[in-house]
Amino acid sequence: AYEIPKRDWSSDVCSSDLFEAGKVYVVEFWATWCGPCVRAMPHMTALQKQYPEVAFIGVAASERGPADRPDLGVEAPPEDARVTNIRKFLKSQGDKIGYRIAFDGDGTMGRAWLAAARQRGIPWACVIGRDGCIRWMGHPDSIDSAIASAVRVPATTPPASQPPSRR
């Protein structure tokens, strides 16, 4: 299983420069308490093995528990308890999770992406094509053909030919 990166992406993950041009990405939103999310993880791991050139990122964007809330006068433990919970969960899953996991500490990414997609529940995933555009959105159990399609598109597509001009 992968470790949670030390960097919390919540402040800048919606920036398009986080995605490398010409690369296919799968971004999945999940939580440790979500049964359907946990059941989808081995499937996502199998797809990551099948498509090693695709960057799979599982975003824990809906974790429950205490966090730093200076606005409410609440101070989290030295390590956010939600991160501790995620680390414990990942360790318990062993090889069932074989793709990168990120933590959206303040929920910025989850709110921005899920709201834009008019999605209210998890698990939810999207495929980002080589051109940086979202090519598919939905439940991770139905993602297979979308990944296959995105991988088949060449990294650089020549410009479309222009019809002859009339003079």
Side-chain angles (χ1 to χ4, degrees), residues 3-4 6 66-68 76-88 103:
E3 282 291 314
I4 298 172
K6 289 187 173 144
D68 257 338
E79 175 174 89
D80 187 325
R82 296 170 301 165
V83 173
T84 303
N85 186 47
I86 294 167
R87 287 184 195 282
K88 193 164 103 176
F103 174 54

Side-chain angles (χ1 to χ4, degrees), residues 79-158:
E79 175 174 89
D80 187 325
R82 296 170 301 165
V83 173
T84 303
N85 186 47
I86 294 167
R87 287 184 195 282
K88 193 164 103 176
F89 170 80
L90 292 174
K91 188 174 183 176
S92 76
Q93 296 301 302
D95 293 337
K96 292 180 189 173
I97 304 172
Y99 53 99
R100 185 181 322 160
I101 298 295
F103 174 54
D104 180 17
D106 67 3
T108 301
M109 182 176 181
R111 281 191 303 277
W113 287 52
L114 295 171
R118 298 177 194 245
Q119 179 64 32
R120 297 181 128 184
I122 53 174
W124 180 82
C126 63
V127 176
I128 301 169
R130 296 182 197 281
D131 59 359
C133 295
I134 294 177
R135 296 294 169 195
W136 180 90
M137 300 182 286
H139 193 285
D141 286 347
S142 305
I143 201 169
D144 303 49
S145 62
I147 295 171
S149 292
V151 168
R152 281 193 301 268
V153 174
T156 55
T157 306

